[in-house]
């Protein structure tokens, strides 16, 4: 007796899962449209219980999300979260000071490296046997 062919049932189950996922995603987009928040693909995917990669394969759903994003402006930072000019100035001063310290450190290490190379050349010269000089027969 040949094994049972369950492929038809697997295909039907797969189509049902895909249809349900699509319905959940459409419902999440509809709910996002009712809110004044700016929807994101991540938020829609999480709400619908689908993966972002699957959602990105549904071009019409992505188009709908993009249209909602265009309708709802991106959230702006409130003034209390924005860095003050004084804070930015202090951060710049700190970065410049650190830059000066690193330049000094590089210069110091470069001098030490040059000294070490000079010492290595000197020691190599001392370690090489000298070639005897032959007097010129003229």
């Amino acid at each position: 007796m040949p094994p049972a062919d369950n492929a038809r049932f697997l295909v039907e189950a797969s189509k049902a899962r895909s249809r349900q996922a699509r319905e959940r995603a459409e419902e999440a987009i509809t709910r996002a449209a009712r809110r004044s928040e700016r929807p994101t693909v991540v938020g829609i995917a999480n709400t619908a219980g689908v993966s972002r990669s699957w959602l990105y394969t549904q071009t019409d759903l992505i188009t709908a999300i993009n249209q909602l994003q265009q309708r709802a402006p991106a959230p702006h930072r409130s003034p209390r979260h924005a860095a003050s000019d004084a804070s930015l100035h202090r951060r710049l001063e700190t970065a410049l000071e650190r830059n000066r310290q690193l330049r000094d450190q590089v210069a110091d290490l470069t001098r030490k490296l040059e000294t070490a190379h000079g010492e290595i050349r000197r020691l190599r010269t001392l370690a090489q046997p000298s070639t005897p000089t032959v007097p010129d027969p003229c």
Side-chain angles (χ1 to χ4, degrees):
M1 180 169 179
D5 184 13
N6 293 329
R8 176 175 54 99
F9 299 110
L10 294 173
V11 169
E12 287 175 12
S14 176
K15 286 181 181 178
R17 273 194 318 275
S18 182
R19 187 174 48 254
Q20 292 166 355
R22 184 167 185 80
E23 289 170 359
R24 290 192 313 269
E26 288 172 348
E27 177 59 31
I29 292 170
T30 302
R31 278 186 269 150
R34 285 187 219 129
R35 292 191 304 259
S36 61
E37 300 171 0
R38 187 168 196 250
T40 63
V41 174
V42 173
I44 298 295
N46 289 341
T47 301
V50 298
S51 69
R52 285 178 292 145
S53 59
W54 177 84
L55 192 54
Y56 278 114
T57 65
Q58 311 301 309
T59 54
D60 59 323
L61 298 179
I62 292 297
T63 300
I65 294 169
N66 288 336
Q67 288 172 348
L68 287 175
Q69 288 175 339
Q70 297 302 320
R71 192 184 76 191
H76 296 288
R77 289 183 134 197
S78 66
R80 67 186 177 113
H81 292 295
S84 68
D85 287 344
S87 171
L88 292 173
H89 186 62
R90 180 66 190 131
R91 287 175 62 188
L92 178 60
E93 286 176 351
T94 302
L96 289 172
E97 177 58 31
R98 180 67 178 142
N99 194 356
R100 278 190 283 277
Q101 291 171 355
L102 292 172
R103 272 197 315 258
D104 291 345
Q105 187 178 5
V106 166
D108 183 50
L109 291 172
T110 300
R111 280 191 298 278
K112 289 178 180 178
L113 185 60
E114 288 170 348
T115 302
H117 277 282
E119 185 65 18
I120 290 171
R121 281 193 298 274
R122 186 183 71 76
L123 292 173
R124 282 185 182 159
T125 303
L126 291 176
Q128 292 178 352
S130 60
T131 53
T133 57
V134 179
D136 205 5
C138 301

